[in-house]
Amino acid sequence: MTTAPSTETDDSPDPDSPDSPESVTPAPGRSIWSPLRPLVLRLHFYAGVLVAPFLLVAATTGLLYAASFQAEKIVYAQEMTVPVGESKLPISEQVAAAREEHPRGTVAAVRPSPEADASTRVLLSGVPGVDAEHKLAVFVDPYTGEVRGALEQYGSTGALPLRTWIDEFHRDLHLGETGRLYSELAASWLWVIAGGGLVLWFSRRRKQRKVRGTSGRRRTLGLHGTVGVWAAAGFFFLSATGLTWSAYAGSHIDALRTSLNQATPTVSASSGGEHAEHGSASAESGADHGVGLDKVLAAGRAEGLGDPVEIVPPADASAGSTAYVVQQVQRSWPTKQDAVAVNPTNGQVMDVVRFADYPVLAKLSRWGIDAHTGVLFGIVNQIALMGLALSLILLILWGYRMWWQRGRASAFGRPIPRGAWQQVPPYVLVPLMATVAVIGYFVPLLGIPLAAFIAVDVVLGEIAYRRGKRTYAR
């Protein structure tokens, strides 16, 4: 970025306006780009104005979520940490201590203390007063068996109430499945807006990318463009990973992965030993069936499953038809996601799934989601996410400021002139429209709003044209 002082003023021709000399006079060797630039500019403008509110909410709640990991450690230190003792009790005794204080519900899983100063979590499902999608986590001191507290827990990362509330606010605004449409809309459009901004920025002459020495709208544009360029790669990543577990685009991605044999494998909890389903919560109130938790954990350790791990009791304790599942739950780098199924009658390992054997797309999906949620690289990951969220917030605010500054004669937000698509050659426009249609089909919350933008724009253009024609006739 050049830092030479600018002699241009706000009254200079706006290089981002389709009616400026730069946009209407084709530069040498850029005959295709010249008519495309106004089209990209108009799309970037409308998407920025209309989709930016959703992105602003997503960025703000994402910023809070990235910070919630460290906040959680402070708020729930009493439950999560314990004084380091000499030796830990058998896991079965720790579960018994939790059940003595919280006898209601069933044991859905047990997470033994993964570190010397960490408590053991006994997860109970079906507890009255606890959300059906959540579990009650009972925190046990692994050295003394003391129950240090109980909190609702959500998700595979073990989110406690503070992080759970922020997570659900970021994901669906606490509106359930309907609310998920907002976050999918934001993820669907983020890469389009970022990509359009990149194209527009690098198509500007180098001297027009200045920030220092400029003022007014040109300075705002310089700040907007410079920060956008530096953050663009992160925006593309957030958009792509956000779509992987969205409602509609995510289903298309899952179907594609399945068709390519790239689905995430799971260990079998049945006596057949084929990769099928994980075990679920035990049908009985306890968790020690057959050989018991201690031998099951020992079997998992013998297969190389180091901490942190989770033990899932058999779904059907009777007749030994289903198995215990011991699975690693470390999402941070290096990822530990190995899992074994253990026969409840004899303690023998029946099935093993190694993360190293995951298909490529399954690994990439795991790493992508974990980086998106801030767990892959710990606090460094979370700081990077907060930086991206702050960048997006600033870009949106600068974008609206530019819209305000574009106004003339007290007019708020003079829009970009329409009709840019008519200047695009058919041999470029037709393949472009076909590509957009295909992407819109697989990413419907991009395709549907885009079609609506175009329809409204055409209608408004036709109305303006007819009004102008009637005025001219008079």
Side-chain angles (χ1 to χ4, degrees), residues 338-357:
D338 293 356
V340 300
V342 180
N343 192 316
T345 59
N346 56 24
Q348 298 296 311
V349 173
M350 299 159 45
D351 192 24
V352 180
V353 171
R354 304 287 183 186
F355 182 73
D357 298 327

Side-chain angles (χ1 to χ4, degrees), residues 142-161:
Y143 302 100
T144 65
E146 174 195 2
V147 174
R148 298 181 63 84
L151 299 165
E152 284 194 38
Q153 175 176 307
Y154 172 75
S156 57
T157 62
L160 298 177

Side-chain angles (χ1 to χ4, degrees), residues 190-191 194-195 197-198 226-238 388 395:
L190 179 58
W191 70 274
L198 275 179
T226 301
V227 173
V229 166
W230 282 105
F235 295 155
F236 283 123
F237 171 79
L238 290 177
L388 282 174
L395 288 169

Side-chain angles (χ1 to χ4, degrees), residues 155-369:
S156 57
T157 62
L160 298 177
L162 173 64
R163 183 154 60 92
T164 297
W165 191 93
I166 297 173
D167 176 27
E168 293 176 348
F169 188 38
H170 176 64
R171 185 176 67 251
D172 59 22
L173 304 178
H174 293 286
L175 298 175
E177 287 301 310
T178 302
R180 290 183 64 188
L181 297 178
Y182 116 84
S183 57
E184 183 168 355
L185 178 70
S188 299
W189 279 91
L190 179 58
W191 70 274
V192 176
I193 297 174
L198 275 179
V199 170
L200 291 170
W201 183 250
F202 284 110
S203 69
R204 293 167 60 85
R205 297 190 180 99
R206 185 176 179 82
K207 67 178 182 179
Q208 293 169 337
R209 303 178 197 163
K210 303 172 186 176
V211 176
R212 186 175 300 177
T214 59
S215 61
R217 183 177 181 278
R218 193 175 298 282
R219 179 174 177 79
T220 308
L221 177 60
L223 291 169
H224 181 88
T226 301
V227 173
V229 166
W230 282 105
F235 295 155
F236 283 123
F237 171 79
L238 290 177
S239 180
T241 53
L243 288 173
T244 57
W245 75 91
S246 61
Y248 296 103
S251 64
H252 289 301
I253 294 172
D254 289 342
L256 176 62
R257 285 179 53 195
T258 301
S259 67
L260 296 174
N261 294 320
Q262 294 288 307
T264 300
T266 54
V267 70
S268 172
S270 67
S271 58
E274 297 296 329
H275 297 334
E277 298 293 334
H278 284 298
S280 58
S282 170
E284 299 181 13
S285 62
D288 251 344
H289 307 298
V291 295
L293 290 170
D294 299 316
K295 290 186 178 180
V296 168
L297 180 59
R301 300 295 193 204
E303 288 292 332
L305 272 65
D307 285 322
V309 298
E310 179 178 85
I311 308 169
V312 181
D316 183 5
S318 63
S321 58
T322 55
Y324 284 93
V325 172
V326 184
Q327 54 196 8
Q328 291 178 309
V329 291
Q330 179 169 304
R331 299 288 182 80
S332 59
W333 189 268
T335 301
K336 295 181 180 179
Q337 292 286 288
D338 293 356
V340 300
V342 180
N343 192 316
T345 59
N346 56 24
Q348 298 296 311
V349 173
M350 299 159 45
D351 192 24
V352 180
V353 171
R354 304 287 183 186
F355 182 73
D357 298 327
Y358 276 28
V360 174
L361 292 184
K363 286 182 178 178
L364 291 176
S365 177
R366 178 74 278 145
W367 288 327
I369 291 173

